[in-house]
């Protein structure tokens, strides 16, 4: 075993060296429609089904007043999001003057000073952008701040309710053809994405509005982009599909019958429809939910060891681990409790606890998002500060992660969804959808992202609280009492890194 462990490390280094010979200036040069980059696990790739990537399109143009474009926060080498390591490199290279660090939302507070790292610490350490959302006029609750580390948690708004500062990761701007909700809190989903006949038209309208509002807000535009520019952005985004293409131990993720990589993913989109494999039985084709929603690496389950070369042995071991992790994802039992959106869901009978799997919330086959809108509160917005959380499973889950120091808000005036009739006050760093609707029932509820291209876009969760996939898996293991073995965790991480 000692020789094999040595060869395993050598194989990893050799594989990365081989990748380096295939990569020119960071991107694979064989096909102009494919952008491929080295990431911590191997190679991530984004394919543009519309053909050659046009870096002169509106997506890459500064349409505002602060120098930003869509590509400022949506970078191909990071699966069309951003990573803190890249953020820190950009800060160092530009002495903090890169448009990414515009104080409107690239600093902890809008008064952030250019070039002062402490004023941009959440972006530098966790890849978080500040989002200021005005309290809705019809709110059923009151909100106050009990922990304000940066001094701008709640800001005055001359036009209405005060602005509440929340800090979130930029969602990837690829794989959008599978969305059931636009934005983490659904605020750009003006046209519903829940019907097959209207899906593409409604998605196009929602993404057009999102591009407009992003240009007005993040880019601080003084004039609106033209209809042609907005259409250019949306058409570009809808053509992008990102996924892990190569694993440094397992090799190419489409080899020997596997279906990894962005090309297969792109081929799934024409067959996708809202409600596909819905966990609550709302598939419009009447098909029952199948918890084995991930089948990308089935072909690797029974790979036999090859004689001779240790490199081949290590590759096949890695492929079997990825296939085993896929089985864990599909079948390992999660004991789901106190999740707003599930345990208080009338369609489920409001169960105190029920058994599910990873695919309960990530049901779209081989994609990993939820095929109908179902925002959930799994606990990542809850606070680890003393006395601010009383659910032992949430406390155990949060203890596994690198939680950022975020403002904490006290919410008052809402009923307890798990003890009807009881009023409740609770603490949160991000009220999520409730800041849009004003409804108590929407507190902390947000969407999960499409689970592709994960290896290139750490950290994870909306607030960057999981620094890596180990922390993410440990959170779920504790939060939902999954009781995973060390081997199951290792296999699951290998699978997630291969998406």
């Amino acid at each position: 075993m000692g020789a094999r462990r040595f060869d395993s490390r050598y194989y990893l280094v050799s594989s990365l060296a081989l990748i380096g010979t295939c990569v020119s200036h960071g991107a694979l040069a064989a096909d102009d429609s494919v952008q491929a980059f080295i990431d911590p696990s191997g190679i991530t790739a984004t394919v543009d089904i519309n053909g050659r990537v046009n870096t002169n399109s509106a997506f890459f143009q500064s349409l505002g007043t602060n120098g930003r474009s869509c590509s400022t926060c949506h970078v191909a080498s990071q699966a069309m999001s951003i990573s803190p390591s890249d953020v820190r490199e950009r800060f160092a290279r530009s002495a903090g003057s890169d448009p990414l660090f515009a104080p409107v939302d690239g600093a902890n507070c809008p008064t952030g000073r250019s070039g002062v790292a402490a004023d941009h610490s959440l972006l530098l350490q966790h890849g978080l952008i500040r989002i200021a959302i005005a309290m809705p006029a019809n709110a059923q609750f009151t909100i106050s701040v009990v922990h304000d580390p940066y001094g701008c948690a709640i800001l005055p708004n001359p036009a209405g309710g005060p602005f509440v500062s929340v800090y979130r990761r930029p969602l990837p701007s690829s794989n959008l053809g599978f969305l059931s909700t636009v934005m983490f809190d659904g605020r750009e989903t003006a046209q519903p994405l829940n019907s097959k006949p209207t899906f593409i038209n409604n998605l196009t309208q929602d993404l057009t509005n999102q591009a407009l509002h992003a240009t007005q807000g993040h880019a601080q535009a003084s004039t609106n982009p033209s209809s042609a520019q907005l259409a250019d952005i949306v058409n570009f985004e809808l053509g992008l599909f990102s996924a892990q293409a190569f694993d440094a131990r397992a090799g190419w993720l489409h080899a020997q019958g596997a279906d990894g990589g962005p090309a297969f993913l792109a081929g799934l989109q024409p067959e996708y429809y809202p409600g596909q494999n819905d966990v609550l039985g709302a598939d419009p084709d009447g098909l029952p939910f199948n918890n084995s929603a991930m089948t990308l690496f089935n072909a690797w389950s029974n790979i036999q060891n090859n004689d001779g070369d240790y490199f081949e042995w290590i590759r096949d071991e890695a492929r079997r681990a990825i296939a085993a992790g896929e089985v864990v994802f599909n079948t390992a039992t999660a004991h789901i409790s106190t999740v707003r959106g599930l345990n208080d869901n009338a369609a489920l009978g409001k169960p105190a606890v029920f058994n599910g799997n990873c695919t309960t919330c990530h049901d779209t086959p081989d994609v990993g998002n939820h095929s109908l809108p179902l925002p959930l509160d799994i606990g990542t917005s809850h606070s680890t500060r003393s006395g601010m959380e009383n659910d032992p499973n949430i406390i155990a889950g949060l203890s596994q992660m690198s939680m950022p120091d975020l403002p904490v808000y006290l919410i008052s005036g809402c009923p307890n969804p798990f003890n009807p009739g009881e009023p409740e006050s609770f603490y949160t760093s991000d009220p999520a959808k409730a800041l849009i609707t004003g409804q108590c029932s929407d507190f902390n509820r947000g969407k999960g992202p499409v689970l592709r291209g994960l290896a290139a876009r750490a950290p994870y969760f909306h607030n960057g609280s999981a620094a890596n996939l180990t922390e993410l898996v440990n959170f779920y293991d504790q939060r939902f009492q999954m009781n995973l073995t060390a081997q199951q965790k290792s296999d699951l991480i290998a699978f997630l890194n291969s998406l």
Side-chain angles (χ1 to χ4, degrees), residues 25-51:
H25 298 98
L28 206 65
D31 185 343
D32 287 338
S33 69
V34 178
Q35 299 181 81
F37 300 84
I38 294 173
D39 67 20
S41 185
I43 291 179
T44 184
T46 295
V47 62
D48 185 348
I49 63 172
N50 294 321

Side-chain angles (χ1 to χ4, degrees), residues 47-88:
V47 62
D48 185 348
I49 63 172
N50 294 321
R52 181 176 182 177
V53 175
N54 178 13
T55 56
N56 293 318
S57 72
F59 185 90
F60 298 93
Q61 295 175 10
S62 172
L63 303 178
T65 60
N66 59 17
R68 284 180 172 175
S69 68
C70 301
S71 61
T72 300
C73 293
H74 301 282
V75 183
S77 62
Q78 290 127 71
M80 303 309 293
S81 181
I82 54 172
S83 67
S85 59
D86 178 69
V87 170
R88 290 190 290 270

Side-chain angles (χ1 to χ4, degrees), residues 94-161:
S94 68
S97 65
D98 187 287
L100 175 62
F101 304 103
V104 61
D105 54 18
N108 299 340
C109 290
T111 54
R113 296 161 292 177
S114 177
V116 178
D119 289 5
H120 304 268
S121 59
L122 290 173
L123 181 54
L124 289 165
Q125 295 170 16
H126 299 276
L128 298 179
I129 295 291
R130 188 183 71 89
I131 310 295
I133 299 178
M135 272 283 289
N138 65 338
Q140 298 174 341
F141 54 87
T142 59
I143 185 169
S144 58
V145 60
V146 295
H147 176 62
D148 190 1
Y150 312 108
C152 60
I154 297 179
L155 297 173
N157 175 16

Side-chain angles (χ1 to χ4, degrees), residues 133-141 143 164 168 184-186 340 375 411 414 426 428 430-446:
I133 299 178
M135 272 283 289
N138 65 338
Q140 298 174 341
F141 54 87
I143 185 169
V164 178
R168 298 173 182 168
F184 167 71
D185 52 19
R340 294 173 187 255
I411 306 302
C414 286
F426 60 93
T428 179
D430 191 334
K433 190 177 179 182
L435 278 181
I436 307 303
T437 66
Q439 303 294 304
C440 287
S441 58
D442 286 329
F443 258 104
N444 293 351
R445 294 178 60 190

Side-chain angles (χ1 to χ4, degrees), residues 240-295:
L240 299 180
F241 294 87
S242 298
Q244 193 74 358
F246 183 94
D247 181 82
R249 290 172 57 88
W252 294 108
L253 294 168
H254 62 272
Q256 285 190 263
D259 290 319
F264 179 81
L265 177 62
L268 294 175
Q269 199 286 320
E271 304 301 320
Y272 168 76
Y273 55 90
Q276 185 180 23
N277 196 41
D278 178 61
V279 69
L280 299 182
D283 188 309
D285 289 349
L287 300 175
F289 170 66
N290 179 0
N291 67 286
S292 293
M294 289 295 193
T295 60

